[in-house]
Amino acid sequence: MTDATLSTVRNAARLLKAFLTREESIGVSELARRLDLGKSGVHRLLATLVAEGLVEQDPRTGGYRLGIVVFELGEAVKVHMDLHAAAGPVLAHLRDQTGESSQIGVLDGDEVVYVDRLESAHSLRLFTETGRRVPAHCTSSGKVLLAHLPEPEREAFLARPLARLTPHTVVDAAVLRAELASVRARGWAEAVDEREIGVASIAAPIRDIHGDVVAAVSIGAPAARFDTVPRRRFARDLVEAGEAVGRRLGWNPELAQRGREA
């Protein structure tokens, strides 16, 4: 990235911050004065930001204000902050209950990002640091999140080539589609030797106040230990953990059930 590009990005960020004054709208001349930039440069920045939905022009005053995309970004940040606070105690209980590493994952494009994690006390355990990205189609968390995408988004994902990370990775769209339907029906997902040989995991959905699946809670362990203690014994624990985090986010499963039955 060139110095000129970095300067442009920095000025765009400064321009967005100028709206933190919460004025109804700000004109080009005033923005140029506050940022100590030329009006033509501010016009170009505004045109780009308007095209991306980050800024919009007030048709009444001709001035500019923050756009709806900024609100959406703020809501996304709020969800992740709320998620971290809601998940912490539940993750600790799940780790103590199962003895395995527990984590929270969210979907970002075609990947799962682990945003929270507690390590197992076992000497033999997985090392998946917070912030790590993994392909969604070969992890239990990814399968949960893909299973609850709106159908057009899910089908768009399935239409793309899927990477085969191990001989056990599911890369056939029809097979994965059927598995995702099973995940929706039973309420949890599993993955064994799919991302990495010797690794197994189970995951369940986390819903927000609206009932939308916004994250997945999972436990992971060396597959050899999950063979000794059957993985599916923990499925109920995962589902309950997902519901517990959802309740802390404001979701009410009883009301949701009554709504489905009405």
Side-chain angles (χ1 to χ4, degrees):
M1 188 175 289
T2 66
D3 289 344
T5 301
L6 286 172
S7 179
T8 300
V9 173
R10 186 177 299 112
N11 286 333
R14 291 176 59 220
L15 192 154
L16 289 172
K17 291 178 182 177
F19 293 99
L20 292 175
T21 57
R22 301 193 179 186
E23 296 164 79
E24 184 176 352
S25 65
I26 308 176
V28 174
S29 296
E30 178 61 16
L31 285 168
R33 185 190 68 79
R34 294 183 188 183
L35 301 174
D36 194 24
L37 295 173
K39 288 178 63 175
S40 61
V42 171
H43 263 299
R44 288 194 296 272
L45 288 173
L46 286 168
T48 300
L49 294 172
V50 167
E52 295 298 325
L54 293 165
V55 170
E56 62 185 24
Q57 189 170 24
D58 186 331
R60 183 174 57 85
T61 67
Y64 291 84
R65 60 196 178 199
L66 293 177
I68 189 65
V69 172
V70 174
F71 171 79
E72 293 171 342
L73 290 170
E75 287 297 295
V77 171
K78 182 176 182 294
V79 166
H80 286 176
M81 291 177 68
D82 290 347
L83 181 60
H84 178 77
V90 177
L91 275 185
H93 176 72
L94 182 64
R95 190 263 311 274
D96 295 343
Q97 183 181 30
T98 64
E100 302 298 350
S101 300
S102 59
Q103 52 268 322
I104 302 293
V106 298
L107 193 64
D108 184 22
D110 293 350
E111 298 175 312
V112 174
V113 182
Y114 293 109
V115 297
D116 219 340
R117 178 175 174 79
L118 290 177
E119 283 291 351
S120 164
H122 288 289
S123 57
L124 179 60
R125 58 185 185 270
L126 304 182
F127 291 94
T128 303
E129 66 276 7
T130 301
R132 184 176 183 184
R133 292 172 172 269
V134 296
H137 66 287
C138 54
T139 65
S140 59
S141 293
K143 290 177 183 180
V144 163
L145 295 166
L146 292 172
H148 291 90
L149 281 177
E151 185 175 359
E153 294 181 33
R154 188 168 59 249
E155 287 302 316
F157 177 91
L158 292 170
R160 296 191 283 272
L162 301 176
R164 185 184 296 278
L165 277 69
T166 79
H168 303 281
T169 306
V170 178
V171 295
D172 182 273
V175 174
L176 185 56
R177 183 182 294 109
E179 184 174 356
L180 296 180
S182 176
V183 169
R184 287 193 300 277
R186 71 187 181 191
W188 55 274
E190 64 181 343
V192 183
D193 295 330
E194 293 188 43
R195 178 175 63 84
E196 183 179 344
I197 295 295
V199 173
S201 65
I202 316 171
I206 294 172
R207 299 178 185 273
D208 65 9
I209 191 171
H210 306 294
D212 298 324
V213 173
V214 294
V217 58
S218 65
I219 57 174
R225 189 159 65 242
F226 263 19
D227 283 343
T228 304
V229 180
R231 292 180 303 281
R232 298 189 180 194
R233 195 189 83 184
F234 292 130
R236 186 68 249 169
D237 297 331
L238 265 297
V239 171
E240 291 175 355
E243 291 180 354
V245 178
R247 288 178 188 276
R248 293 170 68 90
L249 291 173
W251 177 57
N252 189 321
E254 288 78 16
L255 286 179
Q257 180 63 32
R258 287 202 291 270
R260 286 193 293 268
E261 292 173 349

